[in-house]
Amino acid sequence: MTTTNAGERIAFIGLGTMGQPMARRLAEAGHALSLFDIDAAVVQRLAQEFGATAATSPVEAAKGASIVITMLPSSKEVDATILGVAGAPGVPGAPGVLSVLAPGSFVIDMSSSDPMRTRALAETVAKAGSTLVDAPVSGAVRRARDGTLSIMIGGAEASLERLRTVLSAMGTQIFHVGADGAGHAMKALNNYVSAAALVATVEALHVGEKFGIDPAVMTKVFNASTGKNNTTENKVAQFMLSGKYDSGFLLALMAKDVGIAIGLAETLGIDAPMGHVCADLWREAAAGSPRTTDHTEMYHLLRD
Ligand code: NAD
């Protein structure tokens, strides 16, 4: 199995907040990219910037590629992209990437997808002679720009070694966490912990403020004490107290991730009472907010 694969032909599908900087890192590392997103204007702009090919469908992007990377909102879009979309009765649907992938190719799903759906998709991709690796990321847009994301791999270790050069253009901390779907399970569980800490932090800030303690002072104390967490360190001052609410990670995506984690607990028959409360809070907040709402807006949503 070869491990020298600089200069791969990569189809990159999903060019949103995270996909754009990740694709840029791959272009800068010398890979030949073919780009697709449902936002055609973004595809045209980035193709010009990166010297990449602009595709008008996932299938067009994937033709001739040895690796297809998806960075889409959820399993729903990933399944549709890879497997295709069924048409209405009597109307042909859109074909999926799998219909044009050469045997021996790789699909790397870097989205935060549902691990149970990923397992099923990996099986279908394997039957078609290719390999799906789940490789979700953590670190938000700043680390996507720097190429310092942490990447959680589900699938065979040999697949990780085959893809390491490509993945290293986007992340510096690459973990093999288990078999198919394990990366996505890990990601959902990571975001559950992150989301629960955010809610606890925000609730504590509101209580403290009502008691007369400045939330900025509280944040400094947390960061010097045992309440320190990613929200106190990287979100409260930067995106909440500043009123900017522009971390680049949507509330709807966090709600999806916590829902996946709690769904997994249910599937596995594990009681997670706090997880259910947390998932309800995020789901209700997302349901009552525009899709563009940043997840740090939980600061005022929980108060109001
Ligand atoms: P985003 O909403 O900014 O981008 C999603 C992109 O996918 C958009 O450009 C959209 O046009 C495109 N898209 C949607 N449906 C499509 C389809 N059927 N075909 C082609 N393109 C389609 O989301 P994001 O913040 O970039 O997140 C992408 C994934 O990464 C999500 O699963 C998210 O949970 C995860 N994630 C996000 C962050 C973050 O900080 N934003 C961090 C880690 C992981």
Side-chain angles (χ1 to χ4, degrees), residues 10 49 106 166 202 234 268 280 286 302:
I10 301 174
E49 272 182 50
F106 285 84
V166 166
V202 166
N234 298 315
L268 299 175
D280 286 349
L302 284 174

Side-chain angles (χ1 to χ4, degrees), residues 213-302:
I213 312 173
D214 181 347
V217 172
M218 287 184 75
T219 305
K220 283 187 188 151
V221 177
F222 283 138
N223 285 335
S225 311
T226 51
K228 177 165 80 171
N229 63 73
N230 186 43
T231 295
T232 63
E233 284 190 298
N234 298 315
K235 297 180 188 177
V236 176
Q238 297 84 341
F239 304 115
M240 296 175 175
L241 300 183
S242 67
K244 289 186 179 163
Y245 302 120
D246 62 352
S247 78
F249 184 42
L250 297 177
L251 178 63
L253 292 178
M254 183 65 110
K256 169 209 59 167
D257 292 341
V258 183
I260 290 173
I262 298 320
L264 187 61
E266 272 174 10
T267 303
L268 299 175
I270 291 179
D271 201 17
M274 178 169 148
H276 284 282
V277 174
C278 186
D280 286 349
L281 283 170
W282 285 94
R283 190 181 49 246
E284 283 161 21
S289 309
R291 168 87 188 165
T292 49
T293 306
D294 194 85
H295 81 292
T296 56
E297 295 202 42
M298 277 301 253
Y299 183 71
H300 68 80
L301 291 172
L302 284 174

